[in-house]
Amino acid sequence: MELRTLRVFVEVVRQGGFTEASRIVGATQSTVSKAVKQLEDELGLQLLDRVGHRSSLTSAGEIVFRRAQRLLAERDDLVTELDELRGLKRGVLRLGLPPIGSDVLFAPVFAAFRARYPGVEIRLVEHGSKRLEEVLRAGEVDLAGVLLPIPDDFAWQRMRHEPIVALMPGEHPMAGRRALSMAELAEEPFVLFEAGFALNPIIQDVCARAGFVPRVAARSSQIGFIVELVAAGLGIAFLPRMIAELRAHGSLRVVPVTDAGMDWQMALAWRRGGYLPQAARAWLELARAV
């Protein structure tokens, strides 16, 4: 049983005859008559009582007409819903973002996306970069904000490249320096992020090349808390420059670090070769523009 045949039958009933229905469906009267006869043969029941040029429904025809209307309406709804999805009038974007830098980098994209596609729901999860790689690989999100270097099984689009700077109390002896090397901080206590944050391996690798293992005074997953721990004199923290400059206040100083590799490179990644929804493609396009 084909939907096309059901549509022909429904129009015959609605128009009250084969001639009028043929004009609506764009077929000859003979084709319309054959379609109805094919449907009756397939069901093994007479659906129309033909009297001259007029036709009326039999009991079986009433059942088929009612059900056919419902099926055709569902089909029309399906087409409409898919058209809306293509036009991003509705849908879902599953997005994974890290706690570090998302407020600066992605809040403007959020605003632009919401204004352009108000019917698309954004389901947001927040984790450190390494954990986001895991949920992206598992297909739990469509896009994730991760730090370079990025595994080969992901495709990606660069978002931001910032140097990592030292954040220290204003009264620290090196707070007035224009720049410093990591080796000069070998005896200083560090305030780092919790395990799982991709910023930690960057700092630890630079420390290793400078010949020491950092002494960690405290760890946190909250940027604001780390900043306040530094202001309280607990140790030195390291943040991407744009974030450090926004967070620093009167009692803190931001000092560049000259070592190679002190770079924070944020990108949006997705599974290479995987299906990328239209909403995710639209987000990437806006991210490039914003």
Side-chain angles (χ1 to χ4, degrees), residues 140-192:
E140 296 175 20
V141 295
D142 304 311
L143 292 173
V146 298
L147 292 186
L148 273 63
I150 295 174
D152 292 338
D153 53 341
F154 297 143
W156 53 277
Q157 172 181 305
R158 190 187 303 274
M159 284 294 296
R160 189 77 173 231
H161 184 183
E162 286 281 322
I164 298 172
V165 298
L167 188 66
M168 56 181 61
E171 65 274 11
H172 192 282
M174 287 185 277
R177 296 274 297 274
R178 290 193 172 187
L180 50 80
S181 68
M182 191 66 87
E184 294 176 274
L185 301 175
E187 301 302 321
E188 300 290 333
F190 288 2
V191 179
L192 299 181

Side-chain angles (χ1 to χ4, degrees), residues 232-260:
L234 197 65
I236 293 174
F238 299 89
L239 293 170
R241 180 178 59 192
M242 66 172 188
I243 300 172
E245 290 177 346
L246 287 172
R247 296 282 185 159
H249 47 71
S251 60
L252 296 173
R253 296 293 181 271
V254 175
V255 183
V257 180
T258 58
D259 297 67

Side-chain angles (χ1 to χ4, degrees), residues 8 13-14 32 42-43 45 48 77 80 86-88 95 150 158-159 179 183 212 217 220 225 250 262 275-276:
V8 170
V13 177
R14 285 175 176 168
V32 170
E42 184 177 354
L43 296 174
L45 292 167
L48 294 174
D77 287 346
T80 300
R86 292 188 191 99
L88 286 181
L95 188 63
I150 295 174
R158 190 187 303 274
M159 284 294 296
F212 72 97
S220 175
F225 189 46
M262 286 291 279
Y275 172 68
L276 192 62

Side-chain angles (χ1 to χ4, degrees), residues 100 128-130 133 146-148 164 193-203 264:
I100 303 175
S129 182
K130 292 303 179 185
E133 289 181 10
V146 298
L147 292 186
L148 273 63
I164 298 172
F193 284 92
E194 295 283 4
F197 282 71
L199 197 61
N200 287 345
I202 297 174
I203 296 166
W264 183 82

